[in-house]
Amino acid sequence: MNKLLKKSLLWPLAAVAAIGFLSVGCSSNGEFGSSSDAAEKVYVAPGEHDEFYGFFSGGYNGQLGVYGLPSGRHIYTIPVFSQTPTNGYGYSEETKSMLQTTDGFVPWGDAHHPELSQTDGETDGRWVFMNENNTPRVARVGLDEFKTQEIIEIPNSAGNHASSFVTPNTEYVSAATRFSIPMDEKNMENMDVSIDSYKENFKGTISFIKVSDKGKMNIDFQIMMPGFNYDLSHAGKGPSHGWSFFTSYNSEEANTMLEINASRNDKDYIAAINWEKAAEYAKQGKGKMMPGKHYRNYIDHEEGGVAKSEVIEKVRVLDPRKLEGIVYFLPTPKSPHGVDVDPTGQYIAAGGKLSTVIPVHSFAKMEEAIENKDFEGKEQGIPVLNYDSILHGEVENPGLGPLHTEFDGKGYAYTTAFISSEIVKWDIETAEVVDRIDVYYSPGHLMIPGGDSQNPDGKYLVALNKITKDRYLPTGPEMFHSAQLIDISGDKMKLLLDFPTEGEPHYAQAITADKVKERQKRFYEIDDNNHPRATKSEKEARVERDGNEVHVYMTTIRSHFAPDNIEGIKVGDEVYFHVTNLEQDWDVPHGFAVKGANTSELLIMPGETLTLKWEPKKPGVVPFYCTDFCSALHQEMQGYVRVSPENSDTPISYGTGE
């Protein structure tokens, strides 16, 4: 056999061997040696619980998704900023007020960044806060009942992207305007001026929301800022406790074609806010009380869980040009997006969208530069620190489009690179890249359980990818986003799992399940139900007319309503079904729906009272029924309402028919 023939026979064997080599073992993209190895890492046996709760923002669905980790199982969805037909949130009379704003009733929100409450710099399992970008709001979700308990509107702001980030003892939740607007500095009113007067008239605000021990939120103070776009934030910790850091872009103050005109400067800024000093100024009565009308909506647990609203007319506004030492600008290349403080509190990393490096600022050097007045100059009256004086290091070759960073608590940071679709691991002290892994595709945020606290768990990383494409069965043009779970317990990152997510999960946080599950409320004690229209026994069930208002005091228990036959309702009446679930056992809700209602069903938890408003439009007999399959005789759980003409004299009557 000649040499040429030998070569022609051997090269396919070499190719097969090469393909085989790439198909087994831990490959360069960090995949496990076999799918069974990865599956074993994420498998949670039937009946077993996940190790972590994961809280994922729903983005444009306005909700908060709850996932188990490492399985990726979708456990629950908490309604926050949007009406939810699943349980009537935002539709029921008890919850409508949660969505009140100075723009009226706003039934939709753009949720972005969930943030767990902290004590001593660690997640504590009390609450999750989450911001709304479109109509500036911040919500507090109670993890005892997994319900939204309070929403506060942010005045003097347009867009609320750099939110909701907490200080290490949840003293404050911060919020910053994304879209600066023309504000009259005398009365904070949005001005009717030409848009091209941007540099002259547009301003931004950064707000600090005080959180009481019981969770009540109020805006303690706002800081008037130059008219940049404020993007993201994180609070300092350890030595940097008392400070918060906010990225900004558009220091050019452009008002059109920002993709070009807001990318001209080599550096924009991180705003370093000394919130402890600002709070002290506010406590001393410095700054001015200015117009700042906003709503605070909250669930009143002392009155049966009914939502209430209060309107607050003014806020305290601090001017950093007049109050020394509360704001400094840290020059940061280029159009920075994420800003993250490492667990030691010594280093501040920024993800410059258009930058070829990740700059890492030193808090100690920052303090020294402030002490020495080592300034490059001033920006609209605010000192700008010298970049070289405050720099700890620059991470080179961090991938294209670095955005967000989290930490494992072992001295390493992990940054998403949006354009090159990868996660890059780097050493915080040396600023050297030590590993990288491909993700699919275009990651925005990433999350490590506890990854922005002083004590990260450092076991898993979740990449929150913006583009799904071919990862799941196709569902037409629109599809869910995708998360990817990565093992970061060893030197090399290893991809474990893909799982789809609802809406657009901008950010997520996770916490060990033990911190949350033991404090769960399983049902509401019927004796403690203080709802003003509760019906605590079937004997109290009744129907009352007051003019054209009819109130039906109704109970549910397996498997009937009381009353289930109602007559005397007329066309033109406003009928309120106040439905109390008498069950006193976990996981036995009842639903309620009536034909022709222009709202959603109710889903009533044991011991709870909810109200559905119904306005019948035509005579006849109309059925109602339980919407939740509650027992073997669920189908029998139904009733009728007789509707008579508007001028009829049919008297009110009701009963269960015995």
Side-chain angles (χ1 to χ4, degrees):
M1 188 180 296
N2 62 43
K3 290 183 179 179
L4 186 60
L5 181 57
K6 280 184 179 178
K7 281 187 178 180
S8 66
L9 289 174
L10 289 175
W11 79 260
L13 294 175
V16 170
I19 293 171
F21 176 77
L22 292 173
S23 302
V24 300
C26 184
S27 66
S28 59
N29 68 359
E31 292 183 353
F32 266 82
S34 71
S35 56
S36 62
D37 293 341
E40 187 177 352
K41 290 271 189 180
V42 303
Y43 179 67
V44 178
E48 297 293 323
H49 291 172
D50 280 284
E51 186 178 355
F52 296 96
Y53 282 100
F55 298 96
F56 290 55
S57 87
Y60 36 66
N61 77 8
Q63 318 293 25
L64 182 63
V66 185
Y67 293 77
L69 298 175
S71 72
R73 297 182 297 192
H74 184 190
I75 301 171
Y76 187 58
T77 298
I78 303 171
V80 184
F81 295 115
S82 298
Q83 287 179 299
T84 304
T86 304
N87 58 13
Y89 175 84
Y91 291 100
S92 72
E93 297 302 302
E94 285 76 8
T95 56
K96 282 180 179 176
S97 293
M98 294 299 284
L99 303 179
Q100 282 296 328
T101 76
T102 51
D103 290 308
F105 180 74
V106 179
W108 171 84
D110 183 17
H112 273 246
H113 308 121
E115 179 89 348
L116 287 155
S117 57
Q118 295 185 12
T119 300
D120 296 330
E122 293 190 29
T123 55
D124 59 24
R126 290 181 293 166
W127 308 301
V128 180
F129 299 90
M130 189 162 68
N131 64 314
E132 208 267 274
N133 189 39
N134 183 53
T135 305
R137 292 177 278 185
V138 170
R140 177 175 57 83
V141 174
L143 294 182
D144 53 346
E145 55 180 2
F146 277 58
K147 286 187 176 180
T148 301
Q149 297 176 339
E150 187 174 356
I151 295 177
I152 193 166
E153 191 177 6
I154 311 298
N156 307 324
S157 178
N160 179 36
H161 194 265
S163 180
S164 51
F165 299 99
V166 305
T167 55
N169 286 300
T170 320
E171 301 96 332
Y172 286 99
V173 177
S174 60
T177 185
R178 173 181 173 184
F179 309 110
S180 289
I181 52 175
M183 277 194 290
D184 187 325
E185 292 194 28
K186 293 181 179 177
N187 56 26
M188 304 294 281
E189 285 189 0
N190 194 343
M191 302 160 64
D192 176 15
V193 297
S194 173
I195 297 170
D196 63 12
S197 71
Y198 192 108
K199 291 183 178 179
E200 178 185 350
N201 291 312
F202 283 52
K203 301 290 180 187
T205 57
I206 292 178
S207 305
F208 282 81
I209 304 164
K210 187 78 175 174
V211 183
S212 76
D213 291 341
K214 293 186 177 180
K216 179 183 176 182
M217 298 189 289
N218 74 280
I219 298 174
D220 195 25
F221 58 88
Q222 293 187 311
I223 301 174
M224 182 71 83
M225 298 292 291
F228 307 154
N229 296 59
Y230 297 89
D231 209 358
L232 279 157
S233 174
H234 267 102
K237 51 185 76 103
S240 55
H241 179 90
W243 291 77
S244 286
F245 304 91
F246 297 80
T247 46
S248 67
Y249 60 98
N250 192 24
S251 56
E252 299 86 348
E253 297 185 280
N255 60 283
T256 183
M257 290 295 290
L258 264 63
E259 64 178 338
I260 299 171
N261 294 323
S263 304
R264 297 185 186 279
N265 291 342
D266 286 338
K267 293 185 177 66
D268 294 279
Y269 301 112
I270 290 173
I273 307 281
N274 187 336
W275 60 260
E276 273 196 334
K277 179 172 282 191
E280 186 61 31
Y281 283 142
K283 189 176 179 180
Q284 294 169 3
K286 295 187 176 178
K288 289 183 180 178
M289 293 302 294
M290 303 283 281
K293 185 176 181 179
H294 61 283
Y295 270 78
R296 174 182 169 261
N297 310 315
Y298 62 99
I299 297 293
D300 188 339
H301 287 99
E302 294 182 357
E303 289 203 21
V306 179
K308 295 181 178 177
S309 296
E310 62 178 355
V311 178
I312 300 152
E313 297 287 348
K314 292 187 174 182
V315 293
R316 183 172 298 281
V317 179
L318 307 180
D319 187 338
R321 297 167 300 182
K322 299 175 181 175
L323 296 170
E324 186 178 354
I326 59 173
V327 183
Y328 298 89
F329 281 137
L330 317 184
T332 302
K334 181 174 183 180
S335 299
H337 188 55
V339 56
D340 302 278
V341 183
D342 87 306
T344 71
Q346 299 180 70
Y347 304 115
I348 304 123
K353 299 187 290 286
L354 303 176
S355 176
T356 57
V357 299
I358 299 171
V360 184
H361 299 303
S362 161
F363 180 74
K365 291 182 177 180
M366 185 193 95
E367 281 195 308
E368 186 178 350
I370 292 171
E371 178 69 24
N372 296 332
K373 298 187 183 303
D374 185 3
F375 304 147
E376 290 182 1
K378 287 191 175 183
E379 176 72 55
Q380 300 186 37
I382 296 174
V384 180
L385 303 183
N386 190 312
Y387 178 76
D388 293 329
S389 299
I390 62 175
L391 192 67
H392 163 67
E394 292 179 335
V395 181
E396 297 183 351
N397 192 21
L400 300 176
L403 292 182
H404 299 281
T405 299
E406 292 235 324
F407 307 92
D408 64 5
K410 303 171 186 173
Y412 296 102
Y414 301 77
T415 299
T416 52
F418 181 84
I419 297 171
S420 52
S421 289
E422 58 182 330
I423 306 291
V424 178
K425 177 180 177 181
W426 49 277
D427 186 301
I428 299 171
E429 285 295 337
T430 65
E432 293 179 346
V433 173
V434 297
D435 192 23
R436 55 204 320 140
I437 187 171
D438 294 337
V439 294
Y440 309 91
Y441 307 92
S442 301
H445 280 271
L446 75 170
M447 178 271 284
I448 294 171
D452 73 340
S453 74
Q454 288 182 260
N455 189 20
D457 287 292
K459 191 171 184 178
Y460 301 111
L461 180 154
V462 177
L464 299 163
N465 304 324
K466 296 297 184 185
I467 296 174
T468 303
K469 287 191 181 294
D470 55 357
R471 302 303 288 183
Y472 309 109
L473 290 172
T475 55
E478 184 176 343
M479 57 194 78
F480 276 179
H481 283 226
S482 178
Q484 292 189 297
L485 186 75
I486 295 168
D487 182 350
I488 58 169
S489 61
D491 292 337
K492 295 290 185 182
M493 295 180 280
K494 296 179 180 179
L495 180 62
L496 296 175
L497 178 71
D498 284 15
F499 58 97
T501 52
E502 282 191 297
E504 184 190 3
H506 294 269
Y507 185 43
Q509 290 224 312
I511 185 172
T512 54
D514 290 344
K515 288 183 178 179
V516 175
K517 66 181 183 182
E518 297 305 323
R519 64 174 69 200
Q520 292 302 290
K521 183 179 286 296
R522 298 191 170 191
F523 59 87
Y524 300 97
E525 298 281 352
I526 192 70
D527 290 340
D528 296 336
N529 184 336
N530 295 319
H531 191 293
R533 297 187 186 275
T535 309
K536 296 189 178 182
S537 72
E538 289 192 8
K539 290 181 181 178
E540 298 176 14
R542 63 197 185 278
V543 180
E544 296 177 348
R545 173 178 288 282
D546 180 10
N548 73 332
E549 269 190 21
V550 178
H551 294 271
V552 179
Y553 296 86
M554 178 179 281
T555 64
T556 64
I557 196 165
R558 285 164 287 184
S559 297
H560 63 275
F561 294 97
D564 66 359
N565 277 210
I566 301 168
E567 300 195 10
I569 306 299
K570 301 176 187 177
V571 172
D573 281 344
E574 293 182 348
V575 183
Y576 293 87
F577 292 94
H578 310 289
V579 187
T580 301
N581 183 349
L582 297 179
E583 305 279 0
Q584 291 290 269
D585 194 6
W586 192 25
D587 199 21
V588 190
H590 290 293
F592 178 82
V594 59
K595 184 175 182 295
N598 300 122
T599 183
S600 80
E601 63 145 358
L602 301 175
L603 188 66
I604 312 131
M605 297 300 114
E608 188 179 34
T609 301
L610 291 177
T611 302
L612 182 148
K613 181 182 178 182
W614 177 54
E615 297 175 273
K617 301 294 192 300
K618 51 192 176 185
V621 175
V622 179
F624 59 84
Y625 68 103
C626 174
T627 53
D628 185 84
F629 203 105
C630 55
S631 74
L633 295 177
H634 161 74
Q635 290 298 87
E636 282 75 9
M637 194 165 174
Q638 63 179 54
Y640 290 106
V641 182
R642 175 186 171 190
V643 180
S644 299
E646 185 173 0
N647 297 321
S648 70
D649 56 3
T650 307
I652 290 286
S653 64
Y654 53 90
T656 56
E658 300 295 330

